């Protein structure tokens, strides 16, 4: 195997087993599914040109691509099913356009057993990419990983009924473009920026899906301690799964806790109205092995972020696209097995007080006090805004983000989102004229809110975003972060600091292009970066 799609990758690429825990066979099956989905995209493009739009193919495309994102699915049997579905859909669609001729992944037939599929997957993995130009290969891989992030957001939105055929069409066009053998460097760069643009549309759809269903997030205090009683812990990102579970546990004496990126769910009016949404347990995804093992109830894993659950395999359940061999997979609409497991477990014997944190500062909440914020800037009370956010991870160097926030001057405001916040989410930073210095915008899925806040502030000050007293200090781990970074570049945002390490799939020439064009720079030390930014 060879995989370097995440920040945690070992020595430039995992070659025996993924640092994430995926095996050689899982990695190969993911590569085969991705290759076949690119072939399905080629057929979908041709069918669309012939006036045929297949909603089932469109939705499957994003689900298949999302399933190959880091820490989503580790179950080989599930990948075999997806591969079989992909080929069946492809051939059914091809039959509707008999005059069209295809080759490559649009014609490949998967082997009849897992061993054969694994062999095929290795033939079409990253290390067997036929592209001889390393810079072109780097840009195509960046595009591929960005599309994995876009697919994740599109799938989240579709779960709540928000879809866009034009978005699906562009995803398929860009997936097919990664197979092209005659793209120039300029065309590859433009394809990456187009990925960023369509990601903005995907995040806009998701934002609309979340807010139209659950209301706009409101500043909300969230309890960090436990309440005595039976318990279920929900991790991942999916709001609908949480809502369904809350409804199905009403009156059963079970308290529901969020974990990781589910923390911002407490800010949504239609979710926080449930009294048994008891609080938040634990921190970021990479700490789950310890935190889940100590949790005295059932655990529901939605979307991505799962790690090897062998020490609590009987207590964890997966849903949606998430999979782990041996973990019970449940449908999104019936969480009876999860509930029954929680009722059979001890739960928390007594309540604990571990303080609280604030969440719910999405765009509506922030812009509702925009006048106060703008006045504070004009009066010199707020000197600078820092967006310190992104993915958290286990690799050394991420204490930088904790130190950066701790050392940021008292006349600065910290905006944060995604699980990177767990490096400092419980810090008591005080306020500036009633405005909290630490504002949690939400999940990584809520990056759209952060963009809208920046654009609104630029409009209020009659300047460009790059002229605002705003600096982006970002951490990355997986492919949603790649999609968000491409979106920021597509918006022309410069001077981003990125860490804790730069992507292994970025070649020196591509990095130089990013530095020269957008002034992207790796993080150094908190003291040096604060001095450079604030002067």
């Amino acid at each position: 195997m060879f995989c370097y799609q995440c920040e945690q990758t070992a020595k430039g690429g995992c070659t025996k087993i993924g640092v994430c825990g995926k095996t050689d066979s899982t990695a190969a099956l993911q590569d085969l599914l991705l290759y076949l989905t690119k072939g399905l995209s080629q057929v979908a493009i041709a069918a669309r040109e012939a006036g045929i739009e297949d909603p089932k193919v469109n939705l499957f495309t994003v689900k298949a691509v999302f399933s190959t994102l880091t820490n989503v699915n580790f179950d080989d049997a599930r990948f075999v099913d997806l591969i079989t579905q992909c080929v069946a859909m492809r051939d059914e669609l091809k039959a509707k356009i008999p005059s069209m001729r295809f080759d490559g992944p649009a014609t490949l037939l998967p082997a009849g057993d897992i061993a054969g599929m694994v062999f095929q997957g290795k033939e079409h993995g990253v290390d067997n990419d036929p592209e001889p130009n390393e810079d072109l290969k780097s840009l195509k891989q960046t595009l591929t990983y960005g599309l994995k992030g876009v697919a994740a957001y599109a799938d989240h939105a579709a779960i709540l009924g928000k879809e866009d055929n034009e978005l699906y069409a562009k995803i398929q066009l860009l997936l097919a473009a990664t197979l092209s053998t005659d793209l120039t460097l300029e065309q590859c760069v433009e394809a990456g920026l187009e990925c960023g643009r369509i990601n903005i549309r995907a995040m806009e759809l998701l934002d609309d899906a979340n807010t139209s269903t659950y209301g706009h997030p409101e500043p909300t205090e969230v309890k960090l301690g436990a309440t005595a009683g039976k318990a279920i812990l929900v991790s991942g990102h999916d709001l609908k799964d949480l809502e369904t579970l809350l409804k199905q546990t009403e009156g059963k004496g079970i308290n529901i806790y969020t974990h990781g990126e589910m923390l911002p769910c407490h800010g949504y009016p239609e979710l926080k109205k449930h009294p048994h949404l008891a609080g938040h347990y634990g921190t970021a995804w990479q700490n789950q092995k310890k935190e889940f093992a100590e949790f005295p109830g059932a655990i529901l894993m939605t979307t991505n972020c799962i790690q090897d659950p062998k020490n609590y395999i009987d207590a964890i359940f997966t849903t949606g696209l998430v999979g782990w061999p041996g973990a019970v997979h449940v449908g999104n609409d019936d969480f009876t097995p999860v509930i029954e497991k929680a009722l059979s477990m001890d739960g928390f014997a007594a309540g604990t007080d571990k303080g609280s944190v604030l969440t719910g500062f999405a765009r509506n909440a922030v812009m509702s006090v925009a006048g106060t914020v703008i006045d504070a800037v004009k009066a010199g009370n707020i000197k600078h805004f820092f967006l310190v956010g992104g993915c958290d991870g286990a690799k050394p160097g991420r204490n930088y983000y904790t130190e950066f926030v701790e050392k940021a001057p008292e006349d600065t405001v910290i905006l944060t989102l995604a699980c990177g916040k767990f490096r400092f989410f419980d810090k008591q930073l005080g306020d500036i004229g009633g405005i909290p210095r630490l504002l949690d915008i939400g999940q990584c899925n809520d990056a759209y809110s952060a963009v809208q806040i920046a654009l609104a502030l630029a409009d209020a000050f009659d300047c460009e975003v790059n002229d605002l007293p705003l600096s982006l200090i970002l951490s990355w781990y997986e492919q949603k972060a790649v999609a968000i970074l491409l979106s920021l570049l597509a918006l022309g945002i410069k001077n981003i600091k990125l860490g804790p390490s730069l992507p292994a799939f970025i070649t020196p020439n591509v990095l130089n292009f990013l530095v020269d064009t957008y002034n992207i720079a790796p993080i150094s030390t908190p003291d040096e970066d604060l001095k450079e930014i604030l002067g």
Side-chain angles (χ1 to χ4, degrees), residues 433-508:
I435 301 166
R437 285 194 58 229
L438 180 59
L439 301 175
D440 179 12
I441 297 172
Q443 299 179 338
C444 68
N445 301 7
D446 297 310
Y448 179 78
S449 255
V451 169
Q452 293 306 307
I453 290 169
L455 293 174
L457 287 173
D459 184 62
F461 286 106
D462 193 24
C463 67
E464 299 296 323
V465 170
N466 290 318
D467 298 323
L468 285 171
L470 169 68
S471 299
L472 278 62
I473 315 296
L474 305 181
S475 55
W476 81 283
Y477 172 73
E478 42 90 327
Q479 297 82 69
K480 289 191 215 174
V482 177
I484 291 170
L485 179 61
L486 291 174
S487 292
L488 295 173
L489 300 183
L491 289 168
I493 294 176
K494 299 182 178 182
N495 306 317
I496 298 168
K497 291 197 178 295
L498 185 65
S501 60
L502 295 175
F505 49 83
I506 296 294
T507 61

Side-chain angles (χ1 to χ4, degrees), residues 3 30 125 175 207 225 247 396 403:
C3 181
Q30 288 183 355
L175 282 169
D207 180 87
K247 289 180 176 179
E403 293 178 23

